[in-house]
Amino acid sequence: AIPVRSSRLPLLSDAMPAPAHLFPLIRNCEISRIGSTACYCHHKHLCCLSSHFAHSHFRYAPQKKFAAVYRPKENFNHFIHTRDHGSAPQRFYLTPPQVNSILKANEYSFKVPEFDGKNVSSVLGFDSNQLPANAPIEDRRSAATCLQTRGMLLGVFDGHAGCACAQAVSERLFYYIAVSLLPHETLLEIENAVESGRALLPILQWHKHPNDYFSKEASKLYFNSLRTYWQELIDLNSGETTDVREALINAFKRLDNDISLEAQVGDPNSFLNYLVLRVAFSGATACVAHVDGVDLHIANTGDSRAMLGVQEEDGSWSAVNLSYDHNAQNEHEVERLKMEHPKSEEKTLVKQDRLLGLLMPFRAFGDVKFKWSIELQKRVVETGPDQLNDNEYTKFIPPNYHTPPYLTAEPEVIHHRLRPQDKFLVLATDGLWETMHRQDVARIVGEYLTGVHHQQPIAVGGYKVTLGQMHGLLTERRARISSVFEDQNAATHLIRHAVGNNEFGTVDHERLSKMLSLPEELARMYRDDITIIVVQFNSHVIGACQNEEL
């Protein structure tokens, strides 16, 4: 049995400065005693009843006595009904306006400005939104226009073991990508401006929701690391045009290296010293899109996904994957791991579909516990602040840890040339893909954007449905179509379906209201944080570009 002690403090949280003494993170589940049964969870399940661990990504197999609580997500309705213990059926927890208020709290929309009444960009604009399950939310999102080069950057970031790493990556990665894309002359101009104390050329124009904050305390540290990077790019100048694929890979790897180095070196400022350690010991996956004219590049590290929405000649919608999950379900990833480590470790590299039996994604930023040598981990912990040295999580060494690094932040980059039939791109953390198939995502977003609904026969999935129930389903579908434009944001509309869809594929208000009114300690049991960006493409511009190439 795993003893559980409650803790209200979030794991490696960004929401507060370092406490006087670090919370007993992993002591809650006695990780040192159970060894390889501990699961360094990327997400998807819980490890214990502690509200602290309801929002962390450390995970253990639930105990039998908790079986009634640890029900699969699809059994949500059964759980809701069994909670009543025979009492009268519960009414809706939230009214439709209250549901809308929750769903729309974090939505953001951006429309690419027109010049002389025309939009000359291949991007019309984008909608984004987030729905938390963890408290605080561990997902992040970013969007920016490159000002010194062409193109737009958009990305979603899924944190685990807290939100520190996802926050840092969401702030910093786009700068590393933008710098990687800059020509040598512009890099020199920026460096000369810093040397002489002149104002810098703006590199990015950010498109951020008010809740998407930047860490002011770490801005100088982050700038110094970025400057060192562009100085090295200046010294290594080859005179060749920068390849986007190479720039994306270099930016991902360099940022991860800087995160690691900053944690090793430390900082005389105690707050910053603790911050860089929290960033390094937590982790984050990233899925980033760079759109420049008809050239779309997707750089993915981890298990968030990019999906292209394509409109077929008959008006129907299809989905095209533009990323691959880096986890145990990807045979190529498993083979890559085996190639990088001795044959003697084949049986221990991936256990229970997790890296070393602990971590679900096989690529991620941070997570230095899967990258540093044991000696380095011990040195940093022993010489670090007391909060770190007293923390059993940071002192824990993964089992069968012989030939690190076992984890990389190097992205897999896919290039796609946009066509007029490519109408939109969806970037989303796996909180969406756990609940919806990509084909349903393509149809829902496509119909939302065009206002044209292709009715399919109602599928009942083997359920026995009476004539009255079928009438109710048809009436509900008609009402859903007439009210589709209540959502002014495509990402919000998608989240509404992801959380509220019933077994027949329609939004059930009762289910939606119950899911959104679950208390903090239960919400994470039935869904993950969901972060979505929907990018709408300009078919006219894309078609014109295609014709010019012919």
Side-chain angles (χ1 to χ4, degrees), residues 248-250 252-253 299-301 326 363 409-413:
L248 289 166
I249 293 174
N250 290 342
F252 272 62
K253 291 170 67 175
N300 183 54
T301 289
H326 299 134
R363 304 193 194 193
E410 180 173 342
E412 186 173 13
V413 179

Side-chain angles (χ1 to χ4, degrees), residues 43-57:
H43 29 55
K44 302 180 179 67
H45 299 287
L46 294 174
C47 66
C48 61
L49 288 178
S50 159
S51 63
H52 163 70
F53 275 94
H55 307 300
S56 81
H57 285 137

Side-chain angles (χ1 to χ4, degrees), residues 1 28 55 72 160 188 252 359 421 464 502:
N28 286 358
H55 307 300
H160 47 265
L188 281 173
F252 272 62
L359 186 64
Q421 62 265 38
K464 292 183 179 179
N502 58 22

Side-chain angles (χ1 to χ4, degrees), residues 116 196 468 514 528:
D116 295 328
S196 60
K514 286 179 177 179
D528 194 2

Side-chain angles (χ1 to χ4, degrees), residues 328-367:
Q329 279 65 54
N330 185 333
E331 293 180 5
H332 296 292
E333 276 297 284
V334 176
E335 287 304 311
R336 177 187 63 80
L337 270 174
K338 290 180 179 179
M339 291 286 289
E340 294 175 356
H341 297 277
K343 192 171 180 63
S344 58
E345 294 187 59
E346 273 194 8
K347 293 184 178 180
T348 58
L349 277 174
V350 180
K351 298 184 70 174
Q352 298 178 331
D353 287 344
R354 297 170 181 86
L355 181 62
L356 299 181
L358 304 177
L359 186 64
M360 293 190 72
F362 289 1
R363 304 193 194 193
F365 286 90
D367 284 322

